[in-house]
Amino acid sequence: MESYAGDMSYHHGDLRRALLAAAAESIAEEGPAALSLRDLARRAGVSHAAPAHHFGDKRGLLTALAAEGFDLLAAALRETRAATGSFLELGVTYVRFATTHRAHFEVMWRPDLYHAEDPALLAARDRSSAALYSGVADLPDGQAGADVRETGLAAWSLAHGFATLWLSGALPDMPELPDEAARAVLRHLTPAG
């Protein structure tokens, strides 16, 4: 679960960042449907007009949060690829991202909540996709199969499904941290990695 240090009230500095952090905290606690700009302003300790000034409306705020999530995911995937070169570990990183950035994850895959054609969001989603699919390109000859895109989609579906099951509590008797469980599951269905 996402954690933000202590008092969420905004004093000075990056108001946009403070509002996004407050939104992530609220969504992690209550889900995206319960988020309101008025509550967000209260959490951040700013006027009720401040969120609307920065994001326009709730959809604008969730667009920014989704874009931030795609960029955070892309960075985590690139870091894992550089450190391990392992396709398997990219899947584990994806699951770890979902469980440690739950609010972002819940919004990112819900285009009904945000402005799906926003240029900044599309660019962030493309960076995330490129980081995810780059691992497929790294597989030794023949392991990606005839269609690299299809192999990437299959691996993404598996990691995303595992993360979603984990977050919903549908996997009983699992360890507190999903990394090892995800690694064991992904190991069965991904090329050696």
Side-chain angles (χ1 to χ4, degrees):
M1 180 166 200
E2 287 158 285
S3 173
Y4 299 95
D7 179 18
M8 283 302 302
S9 64
Y10 172 78
H11 299 288
H12 63 281
D14 188 354
L15 177 56
R16 184 176 196 281
R17 178 69 225 129
L19 290 168
L20 287 172
E25 181 180 85
S26 175
I27 292 168
E29 291 171 5
E30 302 175 40
L35 180 70
S36 77
L37 294 185
R38 185 171 296 277
D39 179 57
L40 179 60
R42 182 191 56 74
R43 282 177 180 267
V46 298
S47 78
H48 71 277
H53 173 75
H54 277 277
F55 302 106
D57 59 11
K58 181 177 174 178
R59 287 176 66 86
L61 169 70
L62 293 176
T63 301
L65 191 69
E68 179 180 69
F70 283 118
D71 276 334
L72 290 169
L73 176 58
L77 292 169
R78 284 191 304 267
E79 182 178 318
T80 295
R81 182 176 179 218
T84 70
S86 169
F87 186 60
L88 173 68
E89 290 304 316
L90 287 178
V92 173
T93 296
Y94 186 92
V95 171
R96 185 180 310 120
F97 173 84
T99 60
T100 60
H101 294 84
R102 184 177 187 146
H104 289 90
F105 188 77
E106 286 187 27
V107 173
M108 289 162 60
W109 311 113
R110 294 278 314 275
D112 59 308
L113 296 177
Y114 54 75
H115 302 293
E117 298 305 316
D118 178 79
L121 173 88
L122 292 172
R125 190 170 59 204
D126 286 347
R127 287 187 291 274
S128 175
S129 180
L132 186 64
Y133 283 96
S134 68
V136 178
D138 289 344
L139 290 172
D141 288 343
Q143 285 190 353
D147 186 344
V148 170
R149 182 98 177 130
E150 190 176 281
T151 301
L153 180 59
W156 175 35
S157 297
L158 179 62
H160 187 87
F162 183 89
T164 301
L165 289 168
W166 184 276
L167 290 172
S168 71
L171 300 175
D173 302 321
M174 288 295 204
E176 187 174 319
L177 297 175
D179 289 22
E180 285 306 314
R183 192 172 285 112
V185 168
L186 294 169
R187 189 175 290 124
H188 286 286
L189 299 172
T190 59

